[in-house]
Every structure is written in C-alpha cells, then in structure tokens.
Amino acid sequence: MNPNNLRYSKNHEWISIPNEKNQSYVGITFFAQNELGDIVYLDVDSSIIGKKLKIENTFGTIEAVKTVSDLFMPVSGLILEINKKLLSKPELINKNSYHEGWILRIKILHMKEYDQLMFSEEYQKYIQGSK
C-alpha cells in the first residue's frame, strides 16, 4: 500500500525520490488520509512559495469532515510549487494520495534529513505499531 519509491515521516507525510536538482514532491500517506476521512479543504498559503521551511515546520492544514490536522515538512526545503488542483478539489488526496494528491514540490536543502526518513517497510511497521 505504501509505494517503495517514497520515503515516509513519523507525521505521515511522504516524499518522492529527489531528481538531479534535489527536487521532490510531498504529500500525506494513504494511512493519514484514511484516518482523516473525507477531505473537504486544504489550506496551504501561496505566500510560502519561494520560502525555506525547516524540517517539521507546519506548512498548512488539511480539513476533513470531523477534524483538522496540521501538515509538516518531512525535510527542510525550498517551496517551489503548491498543487493548485487540490485547492478546488481536495478530495483528490482521498482518491490518490500518492499521485494526483501531492501537495508540494520542494527542493531538498539537507539530503541527510531525507536519508533519515523511513522506507516503505519501516513505515508499515510504524503505523501498525500506532494502531
């Protein structure tokens, strides 16, 4: 269920393998969106584009029918893009959290932080332990 080509944070964000420019996509995991339920609103302020955020900084909130949850940076990064589709269709995160449901495109600032994130198998054990 958790793609092997991604890394995972303890806050249930995923990040893609960086390209040659250290650029990656960030989103929330299937587990996270499933726990939240039907997502109705995503609040990520466009003023963060071009800014550097540190690991575990909040970059927005996600609202489901019953709850609101903060979104955290899995690594320190320069914010390059917000997935504009999600602003009008946040339910894409429920439909496909690993593809169309990506939230940010970033440039990773410290690859050491990326290297410390969990692989798919580690993340699966982590979420099984939290149930």
Side-chain angles (χ1 to χ4, degrees), residues 14-131:
W14 59 261
I15 185 167
S16 64
I17 296 171
N19 66 17
E20 64 281 347
K21 296 179 182 176
N22 283 356
Q23 293 180 9
S24 291
Y25 291 94
V26 173
I28 66 166
T29 64
F30 177 85
F31 174 81
Q33 69 79 28
N34 195 48
E35 291 290 302
L36 287 168
D38 292 335
I39 295 169
V40 295
Y41 185 69
L42 179 70
D43 184 21
V44 180
D45 192 332
S46 63
S47 70
I48 68 169
I49 294 173
K51 293 190 177 167
K52 294 177 182 178
L53 296 180
K54 292 184 180 179
I55 188 171
E56 296 190 4
N57 277 39
T58 303
F59 67 84
T61 58
I62 192 164
E63 185 176 333
V65 175
K66 296 180 183 178
T67 189
V68 176
S69 184
D70 287 333
L71 297 166
F72 300 96
M73 290 293 290
V75 296
S76 299
L78 173 67
I79 309 303
L80 302 173
E81 182 182 7
I82 298 168
N83 186 348
K84 292 179 182 145
K85 286 182 187 177
L86 298 181
L87 302 179
S88 61
K89 292 183 171 187
E91 66 275 7
L92 288 174
I93 296 171
N94 289 121
K95 290 180 182 170
N96 196 335
S97 62
Y98 295 117
H99 296 287
E100 282 187 300
W102 63 272
I103 300 171
L104 298 177
R105 185 170 60 89
I106 68 167
K107 179 175 182 175
I108 298 172
L109 298 177
H110 305 293
M111 283 304 296
K112 192 184 292 185
E113 293 172 354
Y114 174 83
D115 293 337
Q116 292 174 348
L117 293 170
M118 291 179 272
F119 288 96
S120 177
E121 288 178 10
E122 293 171 286
Y123 179 69
Q124 190 61 38
K125 288 177 185 171
Y126 175 74
I127 60 177
Q128 287 172 336
S130 68
K131 289 181 182 179

